[in-house]
Structure formats: structure tokens, C-alpha cells
Amino acid sequence: MFAWLREKMKLSVRAKRSLLGWAISVVVILQDLQKKYQYPVTTTTSWHSNTNIHSNNTTLTKKKTEQQKVHIFYNLFTQSSNDEARVRKIVEEQFALVDPTLHEPNVTITSIGHPLPLDNASLGNASYHIRQHHQEGDEYLTLHALWEFCRANQHKENVRVAYLHSKGSYTPNPTNDKLRRFLTQGALSSECADLPPSCDVCSSRMSPLPHPHTSGNMWLARCDYVSKLISPSPPLLAPKKKEEGGREEMLLPKEEAAAAMATLHNNDDACKGRGRYFSEHWIHSHPSVRPCDLYTGKEFVWAYKNIPDEALLFSSSKEEEGKKKVDLQMAPRFTFSDYVDNDWCQNDGTQRMENFVALREEQYRLLYNVTGLEGDWWGWDFLHRSMMGYEKD
């Protein structure tokens, strides 16, 4: 039953260590995984308050540090003057969730298309400044600005950024409106702002399939993690270490980098997170990522199917407390089969468990020139729980 997994595990660590031999028993297989990869296969982690971390049935007190406010980067698209009133309502709706006790209220906007007049008086507690305006462009302009900010602040403690965009401004429909509200509420929630030390990225929902991503692409992340990522737009550059001069360097040899750029950006592939879909994959693209998400409901995992209807999922008011469906946990929180969508990506193997490790290794090599997976890689725990059939507690 688990022959494919045994073979994958052998392949993934053959260059690093030899394995003794796999027993037929699933229990022995998991024990061997624990020994060889040195990760606690029975660990479950969730955060149920702002002061305690629950792990291995042991309550630990989080170390209180002075929190810097979250810096918000906003991608704004307006197609024409005819769209001004509609898009302005989108901006006002999202900016109304900015909390000046948690977020830097002066939002950094990259504007694309028609310049949209905005009035600070209508933006609640938020204000804004237009970093740049472009007649044409896409999300990569704003993601690149966020990436550069994080690189400049990577050595400062607990610097966090949130990425938002005016989803629905280009294609107005009720589905985009629902997903925008669901994602914005998560990215700007107090749960994400008070990110535990063991999380690098926080969103309403992270999905491992068909590639690690947050559908709709809004989230909060730590700058020390973001600074590890490749540039979100060509060329594929990575910062050198400070002791090496602090300059940009090609992450891959020149010829390989050119091929990688063509693979990533030239062909749209929603199932592999390439082309325009790479923007959704980018924040979870590094093998060291420690993803977390918020929504407890299993009906929505990715794409556009069954987006939650509740408009106040993350409300902190007493009146709405009973409606909250939020519990910050390490992601993916469900098992493999829960993320499989039979309407998408059925012919390329991206939703087959036996291909999961090989696909991730292929992408890590392409993006980061990384071969082999560390023992604390998030995918090991995900596969273990999926085989055993249990979710995060």
C-alpha cells in the first residue's frame, strides 16, 4: 500500500544517508521516518490564544516582544474612469479593516491602469501613499516592492508585511467579492498580526495542492522569511549574504536562470503555479516556509468552490463571537484527500500523493537550486497525517 512512499523517501535522501530497510508495518515505517528525518511525527500545533502555544500537549508561554506594526502593500488596478466609483468602494471596504494598533496606517499603494482619485477621509483609520503608478502592469510590481522592503529590513526583529490587492476591480462578480473579503479579513486579522514565532506566512487558507499557495493571493508574512525568496519577477535574483558584499547575485547559473525564467513566467499553468499563477505560489515557494492559516471550515480549500458566505469571520465583537471560525494553526491543517479538487488539474499528476515529494523537489531545484529536503520540511508532517488519517488538533 505504501510502496510508492517508501520509494520516494529512498530517492529523496539517497544522496544524504542510507536507510536500513522498510518494514511492512506502517508503524515501523513512521518510526523509521522519525529516526531518519529527525522530526516529531506525532506533533500537532495550534494557537488558541495570544499568550499560549499548544504543542505536544504541553502549554508554553510565548515570549512577549515589542511588536512593530505591520506594513501593508496594496496592488490597485483601475481599468478606466468608468470604473472609479466601483473600485473606490473596493478600496474603502478593504482599508476599513486596517487597525492602527496593529498596522502601519499609511498603506503603500502601487497603482496600475487609470489613476484612481482617493480621499483619505473615506478610508477609515487608514491613509495611503502612491509608491508608483504604471499605465500597464500586474501584481509582480507590488510584490517586488514588498520583497525589496523585506530585504532591506530582514535583520530587524519581527518585521511583518501584508499583501493585498483590489480583487474584483478587473473582473467584477460576486465570487471575486466573496473571496476578496475572506482573504482581506484574514490578512489583516489580529490573529495574523500576532504571528507566533513558528509561523512565517499567515492567510485565511493555505493549500498544498496543486502547488503550495493561497488562492486569491492575500497574506501576511515575516520579512526575514520573505528575504529568502527569489525575486517575484524576472530576472531571478537572490541577495548575497552580507559577508559576501550584500549585492544581488544570480540564484542559478546564467543559462539555467534564463531557462527557469522562461518556465516560470512565459506559460500560464494554474496546476504548477507558473506564468501569471506564479504570483500565488511565490510566498510559499521556499522549502523552509512554515505556513499557517486561519479558517477552520473544510468546505473551502482552494480555487473558487464553496468560498465562505460569512462576512464577519474574523470579527472580535461579542455579538459575532459565536460565528467565528478562526483557529490559527500550522498549515496544511487537513489531510491530502481533503485538498483534492476533482474539477481541476486531473491530468497532470499534481493532485496525486505519490507525486507530491517529487513535484516539490523539482520546483525547489528550479527556483532555489536546492536538492534534498530537510527533516523539518512541512510536507513530511502533512504526508504522515494524511496516511494516518488525522487532522491538526
Side-chain angles (χ1 to χ4, degrees):
M1 181 177 180
F2 298 113
W4 64 266
L5 180 61
R6 295 196 292 271
E7 185 60 26
K8 287 295 180 186
M9 296 304 183
K10 290 177 184 176
L11 290 173
S12 65
V13 299
R14 188 172 292 159
K16 296 172 67 177
R17 63 187 73 181
S18 62
L19 298 178
L20 294 175
W22 294 92
I24 297 176
S25 165
V26 175
V27 174
V28 177
I29 290 172
L30 296 174
Q31 288 175 340
D32 193 59
L33 280 173
Q34 184 174 11
K35 181 189 300 181
K36 294 298 179 182
Y37 299 111
Q38 298 179 354
Y39 74 102
V41 297
T42 58
T43 297
T44 59
T45 306
S46 64
W47 291 269
H48 301 284
S49 72
N50 289 335
T51 57
N52 295 319
I53 298 176
H54 299 270
S55 178
N56 288 335
N57 298 319
T58 301
T59 300
L60 304 175
T61 301
K62 285 169 57 177
K63 180 180 179 181
K64 287 291 183 180
T65 58
E66 186 67 26
Q67 294 271 48
Q68 293 195 40
K69 292 182 180 180
V70 177
H71 298 264
I72 302 172
F73 287 77
Y74 189 83
N75 191 85
L76 171 62
F77 174 78
T78 311
Q79 191 159 359
S80 71
S81 59
N82 295 330
D83 299 300
E84 283 187 4
R86 181 178 59 83
V87 176
R88 190 178 295 112
K89 288 182 179 179
I90 291 175
V91 176
E92 292 172 356
E93 170 199 287
Q94 292 179 288
F95 280 36
L97 296 179
V98 174
D99 183 342
T101 67
L102 302 174
H103 310 112
E104 172 56 53
N106 192 6
V107 177
T108 300
I109 295 178
T110 301
S111 173
I112 301 169
H114 171 74
L116 178 68
L118 291 172
D119 181 5
N120 273 323
S122 67
L123 299 180
N125 292 317
S127 59
Y128 73 95
H129 65 279
I130 303 293
R131 184 188 67 86
Q132 286 181 346
H133 176 78
H134 301 264
Q135 291 298 321
E136 297 180 348
D138 53 31
E139 286 187 74
Y140 292 115
L141 295 168
T142 308
L143 290 173
H144 196 92
L146 178 150
W147 180 70
E148 288 186 328
F149 173 86
C150 281
R151 290 171 61 208
N153 291 276
Q154 61 183 294
H155 300 300
K156 296 179 182 178
E157 185 177 2
N158 204 29
V159 178
R160 290 146 298 135
V161 289
Y163 174 68
L164 305 175
H165 60 96
S166 55
K167 187 168 185 62
S169 61
Y170 181 73
T171 306
N173 59 55
T175 301
N176 276 335
D177 290 342
K178 286 173 65 176
L179 187 56
R180 179 185 67 247
R181 291 164 185 151
F182 176 71
L183 296 172
T184 305
Q185 288 171 343
L188 296 184
S189 67
S190 60
E191 287 85 355
C192 279
D194 191 28
L195 198 62
S198 296
C199 292
D200 294 318
V201 183
C202 180
S203 60
S204 296
R205 169 67 73 238
M206 177 269 184
S207 175
L209 300 180
H211 55 85
H213 76 289
T214 290
S215 290
N217 202 28
M218 300 189 212
W219 36 262
L220 178 145
R222 294 188 185 281
C223 271
D224 56 358
Y225 165 73
V226 174
S227 65
K228 299 177 184 178
L229 301 177
I230 63 168
S231 54
S233 54
L236 296 181
L237 297 175
K240 273 190 173 183
K241 294 180 181 179
K242 190 173 183 180
E243 58 268 22
E244 295 175 342
R247 299 166 299 178
E248 291 181 338
E249 65 176 356
M250 295 303 294
L251 192 66
L252 301 171
K254 187 175 181 180
E255 295 78 10
E256 291 186 29
M261 283 188 289
T263 299
L264 288 174
H265 291 284
N266 291 352
N267 300 299
D268 289 344
D269 189 335
C271 299
K272 292 189 176 180
R274 295 175 181 175
R276 66 188 181 94
Y277 300 99
F278 180 63
S279 63
E280 288 190 344
H281 174 59
W282 177 71
I283 194 61
H284 292 104
S285 67
H286 198 277
S288 70
V289 67
R290 299 171 300 172
C292 291
D293 69 9
L294 298 173
Y295 187 56
T296 60
K298 193 183 292 185
E299 75 280 8
F300 173 73
V301 286
W302 60 282
Y304 289 92
K305 189 184 297 183
N306 300 322
I307 301 168
D309 290 324
E310 293 90 345
L312 295 171
L313 294 173
F314 301 93
S315 172
S316 59
S317 68
K318 291 183 179 179
E319 294 78 8
E320 298 293 336
E321 189 70 28
K323 296 182 181 180
K324 288 179 68 175
K325 294 186 177 180
V326 173
D327 181 25
L328 182 72
Q329 291 191 10
M330 299 294 291
R333 67 174 61 210
F334 306 127
T335 61
F336 196 99
S337 61
D338 295 319
Y339 293 98
V340 174
D341 189 328
N342 293 322
D343 294 331
W344 289 82
C345 307
Q346 289 299 297
N347 299 320
D348 59 5
T350 55
Q351 294 194 88
R352 294 183 64 86
M353 191 185 293
E354 59 265 36
N355 298 334
F356 185 76
V357 174
L359 286 169
R360 299 283 61 78
E361 288 184 318
E362 175 189 5
Q363 194 81 330
Y364 295 146
R365 187 206 63 78
L366 176 69
L367 298 181
Y368 298 103
N369 203 22
V370 169
T371 56
L373 297 170
E374 297 295 332
D376 60 355
W377 176 55
W378 60 267
W380 297 136
D381 178 68
F382 173 53
L383 289 173
H384 161 68
R385 289 186 293 100
S386 297
M387 288 189 301
M388 299 301 291
Y390 66 82
E391 303 166 4
K392 291 282 188 183
D393 291 336

